Every structure is written in C-alpha cells, then in structure tokens.
Amino acid sequence: MQEKQFDTDIVVIGSGFGGSVAALRFSEAGHSVIVIERGDWICRENFEPDFDAFWNPRRHRFGMNELRQRGRNIIPWLGAAVGGGSHVYAGTLKRRDTFSGFPGAIQLAEMQEFYSRAEEVLDAQRYPDYPPYSDVRATQLLYSIADQLEETCGDLLEEWGPINLGISFAPPGAEPGSEFVNKHGARQRYSDPREQSLLGGDIGTKNSLDRNYLFLAQKLGAEVHALCSADRITPLDGGGFRVDLSRYRKEPALLRRFLRNWIPFLVRPRDEKLQVTCRRLVLC
C-alpha cells in the first residue's frame, strides 16, 4: 500500500513557550515542522503604543497584546505574536521549589536538568549590580523595602533576592540599548533602563522565543507561518490531520485600514483561506 503523502510531518499550532520548544525538539529529531501563529513578527519598527498594540484583527489591529476576561477576577494577558507570551511576560525564570500536587512522574530532582536546559537556551541572567542598572530608583526601593521587612517580620517573608531573567543586559563597558548578536546568531538589543519597558520598550531586549528556540528551529528547516489562524482541525482516514487556516492580510491602503478599524461592517475581510496536512499535530 502506498504511504499517504502529507505537506509536513508536524504542525505546531501556537508559537509560545510550549510550541517553540516543540518545534525545536521535533526539528532536532529530523522531522519537517510547520509552526502556525496567529500573530505577526515583532520588532520595534512595527510597534505602536496605542490601540494598535492590541490584538483585534476584525478592526485591523495586529498588536501582540490580548486581554481576555475569565470570570470576575481573572484577566489573562496573552501574547499574539511569533514567540507568543514570551513578548508580554515579565521575563522571570524562577525555578519551582516543589512539585507537590503534580503527577507522580514529575519530581523536583528530575526537573533540574530541564530547568538548566531551558535557562541555557533562554540565556538566563541575573539583574546587574553595576551602573546604570543598579542606579534605577525603583530597584533600590524594592531592595530597601525587602531589607526592612526581613528585619521587622522575617518569619513571614519568603526567600527574596535576584532571580534568573530572560533579558539581555549590557555587560560592563557596553552601551545599554545598543545592538548585539546573541549566542544563537540572532540580533538583539541590550536592555536600557532609561526606556519604559511595559509597552514596547523592551522589544529586542527580552530573550523572546523568536530569538532562541524558534530561531534555532528555523535554522534546522522549520517554517513559521505568521498571521495565520487555525480555523478547523479534521482527522484524516488512515491517520494524520488536515488544518484549515485563515491568513490575515494587512491592508496597505490607508482608507481601507481606516474603514476596517473604525467601521468594520463596511469592509469585508479579505483573509486568505489555506489548508495544510500533517502526520502529527501539536496544539500549544
């Protein structure tokens, strides 16, 4: 019997922490990989700290930030971009002290190896204790408050202090904010404490997944399809899957962008419909 032909071995839907790691590991194992990501590639040149910073493709907004309310008190902050949540999280890479309540196969001692592997790829660093980083007033205040709490109510205070961060800081002698090539070969920028980092100031300084895991997967042949949303998944007879996709089109015409943004019911979306088949499907 002739073997069924597929477009690729593996389709990974989502390029956040789970999807990017899966894409690299499957690529390292010799499989052909396609990564599907609804968001766009992120760079400082295409970021605007306004409503376009949020994800709302119906209004022609393709920003990396999405807020979804879950119940009364939970509002997750999601990343819609190549690299997913690695663009919008705080950059903290803290190890868990216990895995109590997890499945029995997950034990603290066994996890140390995987923590170390992830920290190596993400180039985990501690916050610098030299200028200009040590001169940041907010950092000085936090450390002084922690010292006071330890003196007054140390029995109630958990362990505190510097933790690993997925952020690139300029070494002594280098200029914060300047460009460099990271150890994987991707271009980045050193963190600059003079810039705000909540909305876009840390683009390129955070060790986001498009500059490590995904970058390495692409070097091994993985394809990343940005601005593609998975609409339907269909299991195929005899094995494998078909994924129906919509590829968002950014409108080049200013008038059409304005209409789709502010009067969307007057403009029909011109999103392209695509299909891809695979042997195995990874939902991330």
Side-chain angles (χ1 to χ4, degrees):
M1 181 181 296
Q2 187 175 4
E3 187 176 2
K4 184 183 297 185
Q5 297 297 312
F6 296 94
D7 297 319
T8 186
D9 294 332
I10 312 292
V11 165
V12 179
I13 299 179
S15 65
F17 284 102
S20 294
V21 175
L24 177 57
R25 300 307 176 214
F26 277 116
S27 297
E28 289 174 332
H31 297 287
S32 58
V33 178
I34 291 178
V35 180
I36 305 299
E37 169 56 51
R38 61 176 178 162
D40 201 357
W41 293 92
I42 296 299
C43 63
R44 292 169 66 88
E45 289 72 24
N46 68 7
F47 180 83
E48 295 292 339
D50 54 21
F51 284 126
D52 287 338
F54 292 92
W55 175 257
N56 191 345
R58 289 187 177 182
R59 289 186 173 272
H60 203 267
R61 294 172 183 162
F62 300 100
M64 64 183 180
N65 302 281
E66 183 184 20
L67 302 177
R68 290 185 183 178
Q69 186 165 358
R70 290 292 183 265
R72 179 178 298 179
N73 301 317
I74 301 176
I75 304 179
W77 187 353
L78 308 178
V82 176
S86 68
H87 289 285
V88 300
Y89 85 127
T92 54
L93 302 174
K94 190 176 188 300
R95 296 192 179 197
R96 290 186 63 92
D97 297 325
T98 176
F99 284 88
S100 175
F102 280 69
I106 302 177
Q107 299 294 324
L108 181 61
E110 296 175 348
M111 289 300 297
Q112 302 310 309
E113 172 191 352
F114 300 104
Y115 273 125
S116 297
R117 290 178 65 185
E119 290 165 354
E120 171 66 21
V121 178
L122 293 168
D123 196 15
Q125 304 175 26
R126 294 296 177 98
Y127 189 82
D129 58 0
Y130 50 83
Y133 303 105
S134 60
D135 297 335
V136 176
R137 181 60 176 158
T139 302
Q140 296 174 346
L141 287 172
L142 285 171
Y143 276 110
S144 64
I145 291 171
D147 286 332
Q148 295 175 28
L149 288 173
E150 191 169 44
E151 291 179 2
T152 57
C153 51
D155 56 326
L156 301 178
L157 187 67
E158 292 189 7
E159 180 183 358
W160 65 275
I163 63 172
N164 284 330
L165 301 171
I167 299 172
S168 290
F169 300 101
E175 179 65 24
S178 62
E179 288 194 356
F180 72 101
V181 176
N182 69 20
K183 63 184 181 182
H184 306 300
R187 299 199 66 82
Q188 286 194 238
R189 294 171 58 255
Y190 290 123
S191 177
D192 189 344
R194 297 165 295 188
E195 293 185 335
Q196 62 83 16
S197 60
L198 181 61
L199 283 177
D202 55 357
I203 293 177
T205 71
K206 194 180 291 181
N207 301 342
S208 50
L209 297 163
D210 53 324
R211 291 172 169 85
N212 38 71
Y213 279 99
L214 281 177
F215 183 83
L216 293 171
Q218 285 183 291
K219 290 174 69 173
L220 294 173
E223 299 178 18
V224 179
H225 292 256
L227 291 174
C228 281
S229 177
D231 298 328
R232 180 185 295 274
I233 296 170
T234 305
L236 300 176
D237 294 337
F241 300 88
R242 184 183 72 242
V243 183
D244 292 279
L245 309 168
S246 292
R247 186 190 300 277
Y248 299 114
R249 292 186 178 181
K250 289 189 173 181
E251 303 290 353
L254 182 60
L255 176 59
R256 189 173 180 87
R257 287 185 60 189
F258 174 82
L259 292 175
R260 188 166 176 178
N261 197 348
W262 297 104
I263 319 176
F265 58 85
L266 291 181
V267 182
R268 290 184 178 181
R270 297 191 298 175
D271 301 331
E272 182 182 4
K273 301 299 182 181
L274 305 169
Q275 289 184 343
V276 61
T277 60
C278 60
R279 298 179 187 279
R280 295 183 178 87
L281 181 66
V282 183
L283 301 180
C284 297

